Amino acid sequence: LNTYFDVSSLKNVVISGPFAGAKYIDRLTGAEGVATSNDITITAPTDLLFPGFTAPITITDSVKGTKTVLTRKGYTDTVIWNPYGNDALGYDKFVSIQPVSASPVTIPVGKFKETHFSQLITATKI
């Protein structure tokens, strides 16, 4: 599910969640790592896959005065993406946080109607 969130500028945005200790794969370089902080700021081209990360994520924009909380159901992983430095794509005005299932999902026969994938987005002024 591709979701793009409008922001005032990346320099005003913090992406928060229980990231510290979460494993990630940098899909630009193939490198694997472990997040050392619960906060993520984007200062370079970013394409991070967090396998098994399903916790709520908050996007705080200090200039817009907004807090956007993302909660997901059914998805097994999370991607944070931004083409930092690419003016043609308007990189400084959005962040993409995507609930994904990076590995194939098998739904048992007869259980399709009981299987749900969703994302709830709650935005508030701060």
Side-chain angles (χ1 to χ4, degrees), residues 47-72:
D47 192 355
L48 300 175
L49 169 66
F50 288 87
F53 192 91
T54 60
I57 296 173
T58 301
I59 305 166
T60 304
D61 187 323
S62 61
V63 169
K64 285 180 112 176
T66 57
K67 180 171 79 169
T68 305
V69 178
L70 317 173
T71 54
R72 290 81 35 98

Side-chain angles (χ1 to χ4, degrees), residues 37-123:
S37 173
N38 285 327
D39 295 334
I40 295 174
T41 56
I42 296 177
T43 58
T46 302
D47 192 355
L48 300 175
L49 169 66
F50 288 87
F53 192 91
T54 60
I57 296 173
T58 301
I59 305 166
T60 304
D61 187 323
S62 61
V63 169
K64 285 180 112 176
T66 57
K67 180 171 79 169
T68 305
V69 178
L70 317 173
T71 54
R72 290 81 35 98
K73 180 179 178 184
Y75 296 97
T76 56
D77 313 299
T78 298
V79 170
I80 298 175
W81 178 79
N82 180 273
Y84 190 90
N86 188 326
D87 289 321
L89 292 178
Y91 78 93
D92 194 42
K93 295 296 184 183
F94 76 92
V95 63
S96 179
I97 300 177
Q98 306 166 12
V100 299
S101 291
S103 299
V105 175
T106 302
I107 299 171
V109 174
K111 296 296 182 183
F112 183 75
K113 290 183 179 178
E114 293 86 11
T115 304
H116 301 279
F117 294 86
S118 64
Q119 177 171 243
L120 176 64
I121 301 168
T122 307

